[in-house]
Amino acid sequence: MNKFGIIIAAIALLGVACNKEQTIVDNQSLVEQTSKKVRIELKVIIDPETSATMDGRRLTFGMGDEIGLIACNAVGKAEAICLTVSSISDGVITFSAEVDEGTQVGDYAYYPKEIIPALSNVDFEDVDQTLVNWNIGFDGTAVQIPMMAKIDTEHNTAEFKHLGAMLKVNLVNMPAGVSVLKFNTSNPVFGTYSVNTETWSTTYVSGGVNSVSVSVSGNGLYFIPVPTPANVSYGDFSLSMTDNVPYIFKQRTANLSSPITPARGQIVNMGNFAYDVDEIATWWHVSDINGWQGGYNRYIKTGPDTYQLTAFNPDGNPWWYFLDGDGNQWGISGHSNYWSGTIEKCNQTFNRTDSGDKTFWVTLSKDENGWQYNSGNWDNNSDRELPIDGVSLSTDLDCDNDDLADWDNITFSKYNYGANYSFAYHGLVIPDNKVYEFKFVLSQYEGIWCGGDNLFLTDAAPYGKAVWSGGENIKFQLTPGTYDIYLDVAELNFMFVKQ
């Protein structure tokens, strides 16, 4: 993630002189007298010398925009009021709202209006108007960097000042269902901030939240407002594609040589954030020995559109077929004894003549003609047939796996019939997007430890091939969530499948 900055110029909010029917109430608000209501109006223009652009997006106000003020109601309590754009003419934008006659408003205007903290049953005189809330639902497509303006009623002007910076993220190949882009940090920095209204710097007060979210829809550029308090930098952070549950579709953690330290009014380019999660198809090898049910012998992905499984063919009933993730049966239509060919949805089973009590090394691969099946490699039982009746995954290694202490020596299960090479562990919770390491431990053979040769699993390829009794620690960096792990002990192919 590279960094560059573009200073965003300040916005000027200018109060235009009142007409004959306007007056200033308590020297704090601009109003138009009516019998019971008054209209607050602020006419906004952007100084041509300070107008800013962001990748062709002009930073200005338009129809639909809203700003907020803090007002005193009839019983002396504070409440937030919203001013909306009522007209645009010759570059001048008028914000207005109707309030009760005699309403007193505070000293500042806020954008977006939601950054005004909760004012439930608070006396107006007791409100700290310099506090803003940074943990709101921002619109990622809008220029919503929080701003604040001091209202100068003597000169009828108010100049908005930026209170932080923005991160620019380009979402690529985003799947359906993603509605939120979240910026996460290791420390709680999002919540309530105090604003120095002389320098417009901010100081963290409270909140304890370590993420800020923006709404997104489809591919493209999005912007995340982040606070820039003094002595705070962003070195340990991640970006996440989520929904409103939230389910994390994809998370990417920063790996920086130095932290990001944006200044107030800057844009930091975070580059492309692509959804590159591997889509693993579900294929089961079903036969009489597993009750003709899926869930026991799953084909393991070994490459793009390629799956393998070591399967045993019993002598008593040497028939089998394929079952997909939707429960559909597949086979080579009209041919039960073919050892290779294109499979399709049909009720055809396989039967290899004189192949009882044999082990098959079956491959599924996809080409322009569809899914290709090949069981041509078969022999007597693998030498790893029965002795391995216990498999565990261990993170009890000489590396930084403190967050995975509960994982040590979790035990895999298998369907307990004669020559079974398929093991699985269901429901492994990966808590974050950090890099972790592990090895498989085969309990027979006095605890053989199986690692890998330069294996590093990512969302784009969460599978690999372990090394028998050796190899380095297997590393992985996967999006947080719940995973099932499948292992074929004959070939030591394995995969992590996110649920």
Side-chain angles (χ1 to χ4, degrees):
M1 299 181 187
N2 299 316
K3 179 181 77 171
F4 72 87
I6 301 174
I7 302 298
I8 307 176
I11 294 179
L13 178 69
L14 303 180
V16 175
C18 308
N19 59 32
K20 293 180 180 180
E21 296 179 349
Q22 291 178 320
T23 184
I24 297 176
V25 178
D26 296 331
N27 200 33
Q28 291 192 22
S29 61
L30 306 179
V31 298
E32 178 184 346
Q33 299 290 354
T34 65
S35 57
K36 294 183 180 180
K37 294 286 185 179
V38 292
R39 176 173 294 276
I40 299 175
E41 288 191 349
L42 293 174
K43 295 186 181 296
V44 181
I45 63 172
I46 303 298
D47 185 341
E49 298 301 320
T50 60
S51 60
T53 59
M54 280 179 17
D55 300 318
R57 299 186 182 204
R58 185 177 178 86
L59 186 56
T60 184
F61 290 113
M63 297 301 295
D65 277 329
E66 300 173 331
I67 61 175
L69 304 178
I70 298 176
C72 180
N73 64 21
V75 293
K77 301 297 182 180
E79 62 180 14
I81 60 174
C82 174
L83 279 67
T84 61
V85 176
S86 57
S87 68
I88 300 177
S89 177
D90 296 328
V92 177
I93 302 175
T94 301
F95 285 88
S96 63
E98 282 193 352
V99 298
D100 291 334
E101 184 178 359
T103 295
Q104 179 184 2
V105 299
D107 299 323
Y108 302 98
Y110 308 84
Y111 177 83
K113 60 183 177 61
E114 289 82 4
I115 67 173
I116 299 176
L119 299 172
S120 177
N121 200 33
V122 180
D123 290 339
F124 178 77
E125 298 299 331
D126 294 334
V127 172
D128 186 348
Q129 299 180 42
T130 65
L131 296 181
V132 296
N133 178 25
W134 206 285
N135 191 43
I136 67 173
F138 293 100
D139 180 355
T141 63
V143 181
Q144 279 193 315
I145 183 169
M147 295 184 291
M148 192 170 162
K150 183 173 178 60
I151 302 173
D152 184 346
T153 55
E154 181 179 354
H155 299 94
N156 296 336
T157 62
E159 185 178 59
F160 270 106
K161 301 288 187 179
H162 297 101
L163 302 180
M166 283 195 294
L167 309 179
K168 182 178 71 171
V169 182
N170 186 38
L171 294 182
V172 180
N173 296 328
M174 194 169 66
V178 174
S179 58
V180 175
L181 175 62
K182 180 178 288 187
F183 177 75
N184 310 269
T185 72
S186 58
N187 298 314
V189 293
F190 300 101
T192 301
Y193 277 81
S194 175
V195 179
N196 183 323
T197 55
E198 297 297 326
T199 64
W200 302 101
S201 61
T202 55
T203 302
Y204 178 72
V205 176
S206 64
V209 180
N210 62 352
S211 65
V212 64
S213 300
V214 300
S215 59
V216 298
S217 178
N219 297 327
L221 288 176
Y222 294 95
F223 301 91
I224 306 173
V226 294
T228 56
N231 302 320
V232 171
S233 60
Y234 300 106
D236 183 4
F237 64 87
S238 64
L239 294 172
S240 303
M241 299 179 186
T242 74
D243 57 17
N244 290 320
V245 176
Y247 171 83
I248 302 177
F249 289 80
K250 167 73 178 182
Q251 187 173 99
R252 186 179 72 178
T253 296
N255 183 17
L256 304 177
S257 58
S258 60
I260 290 177
T261 55
R264 187 171 61 86
Q266 282 188 325
I267 302 172
V268 179
N269 182 18
M270 307 294 285
N272 292 338
F273 182 19
Y275 183 79
D276 60 354
V277 176
D278 187 272
E279 300 295 339
I280 298 178
T282 302
W283 292 103
W284 303 105
H285 180 94
V286 296
S287 65
D288 180 59
I289 55 179
N290 56 27
W292 300 100
Q293 298 294 317
Y296 299 110
N297 296 54
R298 182 165 177 175
Y299 284 84
I300 296 175
K301 192 165 190 176
T302 58
D305 291 326
T306 303
Y307 296 80
Q308 292 183 7
L309 181 71
T310 306
F312 180 70
N313 196 30
D315 189 42
N317 191 357
W319 296 83
W320 75 92
Y321 61 80
F322 297 103
L323 201 67
D324 66 22
D326 295 323
N328 301 306
Q329 183 177 338
W330 290 62
I332 301 176
S333 181
H335 301 283
S336 63
N337 60 349
Y338 277 28
W339 59 266
S340 67
T342 303
I343 59 173
E344 58 183 289
K345 292 181 183 179
C346 64
N347 293 324
Q348 183 67 62
T349 54
F350 294 89
N351 183 359
R352 294 297 299 278
T353 305
D354 298 325
S355 63
D357 288 331
K358 295 292 189 298
T359 296
F360 287 80
W361 285 263
V362 185
T363 300
L364 285 175
S365 59
K366 191 175 185 180
D367 61 19
E368 65 275 8
N369 298 315
W371 286 101
Q372 304 301 314
Y373 148 80
N374 188 323
S375 66
N377 298 316
W378 61 279
D379 206 339
N380 292 327
N381 297 338
S382 167
D383 59 0
R384 301 174 196 167
E385 170 196 346
L386 286 176
I388 302 175
D389 61 4
V391 173
S392 62
L393 178 149
S394 180
T395 59
D396 188 14
L397 308 171
D398 186 20
C399 57
D400 184 14
N401 275 337
D402 293 343
D403 293 338
L404 301 185
D406 294 339
W407 289 22
D408 290 344
N409 300 312
I410 63 172
T411 302
F412 283 54
S413 62
K414 74 170 183 176
Y415 185 63
N416 192 22
Y417 64 85
N420 177 28
Y421 310 102
S422 296
F423 287 76
Y425 184 84
H426 301 283
L428 182 73
V429 176
I430 296 178
D432 50 45
N433 193 223
K434 295 180 181 178
V435 177
Y436 294 109
E437 303 180 17
F438 73 96
K439 282 186 177 180
F440 293 105
V441 183
L442 311 184
S443 61
Q444 299 294 332
Y445 302 108
E446 299 180 353
I448 293 295
W449 288 61
C450 300
D453 289 334
N454 298 317
L455 274 182
F456 195 128
L457 310 186
T458 65
D459 291 334
Y463 49 82
K465 186 179 182 68
V467 175
W468 178 261
S469 186
E472 303 169 348
N473 295 341
I474 300 171
K475 297 181 179 181
F476 67 87
Q477 186 176 26
L478 300 173
T479 288
T482 303
Y483 288 77
D484 292 345
I485 308 175
Y486 298 89
L487 171 69
D488 176 350
V489 295
E491 292 295 301
L492 291 181
N493 294 320
F494 68 94
M495 65 183 182
F496 282 63
V497 183
K498 192 167 186 282
Q499 302 304 295

